[in-house]
Amino acid sequence: MVRIDALPAFQDNYIWLLQAPASRHLAVVDPGEAAPVLAWLAANPGWQLTDILITHHHADHIGGVETLRQATGARVLGPDDERIPAVDLRLRDGERIDVLGCTFRVLEVPGHTRSHIAYFHDAAQPWLFCGDTLFAAGCGRLFEGTPSQMHQSLRRLAELPEATLVYCTHEYTLSNLRFAQAVEPDNPAIARRLAEVSAWRAAGRSSLPSNLALERDTNPFLRTGETSIKEKMARRSGRASIDPDQVFAELRGWKDNF
């Protein structure tokens, strides 16, 4: 059995810490800095970091990799991208890897960056480590990919089982929900979630992980097929109608300046 905890990093990042008590082995996802992981290891002697999983090359996701690798000898897994140093196993879409006795399927999800990947563990309780592609109630900015690529990546993730726990890497949920409410002011699921997350954040509680059932109900970037959203984005574009990728592009452009 694997336990998953969040180690806060920087202003709003999370480093996901996977713990296998039987072996006392650990894995981490997207360690943008090494200090939180090294502090955890120092406070919990007898544990060994065996694997470092990377979703994409941005510094706030890989900044701690080399220090952790040198300190622990952990294996580094990540996308096939020369901008990520010291990767021991470069991963492609559809590959399966074993981490802490759990099998993960690699999903290529470009858009935020050209080589972004996600890790999906399909079990009675599925997990998705999706970096900056899918956020709770939102999605990542388009730094290298196209709206069509990002839209397709999100549609792919949305097809995973609804019970899938979504472990993204930023605490953006509250601001994302404020945007979601502007997009769908009459959506009661968004209103409920906004009130709930507002209370959690006021109490210092994390809003993550999310789950795909909740995302399908409240994340506008997974709801581009809704008539109200299509019509609103068509009006914003000044056209009578727009195709699904254009709906997504208008929505993402609005969020960029919200």
Side-chain angles (χ1 to χ4, degrees), residues 40-250:
W40 193 97
L41 288 167
N44 295 271
W47 287 80
Q48 180 184 357
L49 180 64
T50 59
D51 293 283
I52 300 171
L53 279 63
I54 304 300
T55 62
H56 66 291
H57 77 280
H58 284 163
D60 63 323
H61 292 253
I62 68 169
V65 169
E66 186 57 37
T67 298
L68 290 173
R69 186 173 185 260
Q70 292 184 9
T72 66
R75 176 179 64 160
V76 181
L77 303 90
D80 189 8
D81 189 325
E82 70 282 356
R83 295 170 295 184
I84 304 174
V87 175
D88 298 301
L89 185 59
R90 297 192 180 274
L91 302 170
R92 297 284 191 174
D93 189 65
E95 288 189 81
R96 295 181 184 272
I97 57 170
D98 181 84
V99 176
L100 303 181
C102 299
T103 299
F104 288 87
R105 178 160 54 98
V106 177
L107 305 174
E108 290 184 357
V109 285
H112 180 66
T113 66
R114 61 175 169 79
S115 63
H116 201 302
I117 62 174
Y119 300 86
F120 176 62
H121 174 57
D122 192 1
Q125 176 56 77
W127 310 325
L128 175 67
F129 294 95
C130 50
D132 287 358
T133 297
L134 174 64
F135 290 137
C139 74
R141 287 179 179 264
L142 305 183
F143 287 108
E144 296 176 359
T146 66
S148 179
Q149 284 179 316
M150 187 62 142
H151 192 210
Q152 180 57 41
S153 293
L154 291 170
R155 290 174 66 182
R156 185 179 192 189
L157 296 182
E159 292 173 355
L160 297 174
E162 66 176 16
T164 300
L165 294 179
V166 177
Y167 293 93
C168 55
T169 45
H170 287 280
E171 183 57 73
Y172 291 163
T173 314
L174 195 55
S175 62
N176 286 342
L177 284 168
R178 290 174 180 141
F179 174 70
Q181 191 167 60
V183 176
E184 292 190 277
D186 299 322
N187 184 328
I190 292 174
R192 287 193 299 270
R193 190 179 185 190
L194 179 57
E196 182 177 54
V197 172
S198 295
W200 288 352
R201 297 305 295 150
R205 174 179 167 181
S206 171
S207 67
L208 302 175
S210 179
N211 65 74
L212 274 181
L214 187 57
E215 294 308 311
R216 291 170 185 167
D217 287 344
T218 60
N219 188 329
F221 296 101
L222 300 190
R223 295 174 56 78
T224 54
E226 294 294 313
T227 299
S228 62
I229 294 180
K230 289 190 292 185
E231 291 177 347
K232 183 173 287 189
M233 294 306 102
R235 288 195 300 271
R236 287 183 63 88
S237 73
R239 287 172 280 184
S241 64
I242 53 179
D243 67 33
D245 287 344
Q246 291 170 328
V247 172
F248 174 83
E250 287 291 333

Side-chain angles (χ1 to χ4, degrees), residues 3-59:
R3 172 176 172 169
I4 304 173
D5 289 320
L7 296 179
F10 303 117
Q11 182 176 351
D12 51 34
N13 283 62
Y14 291 123
I15 300 168
W16 293 109
L17 181 72
L18 287 69
Q19 307 145 62
S23 63
R24 296 179 73 79
H25 286 175
L26 302 170
V28 293
V29 182
D30 285 348
E33 56 179 340
V37 180
L38 294 175
W40 193 97
L41 288 167
N44 295 271
W47 287 80
Q48 180 184 357
L49 180 64
T50 59
D51 293 283
I52 300 171
L53 279 63
I54 304 300
T55 62
H56 66 291
H57 77 280
H58 284 163

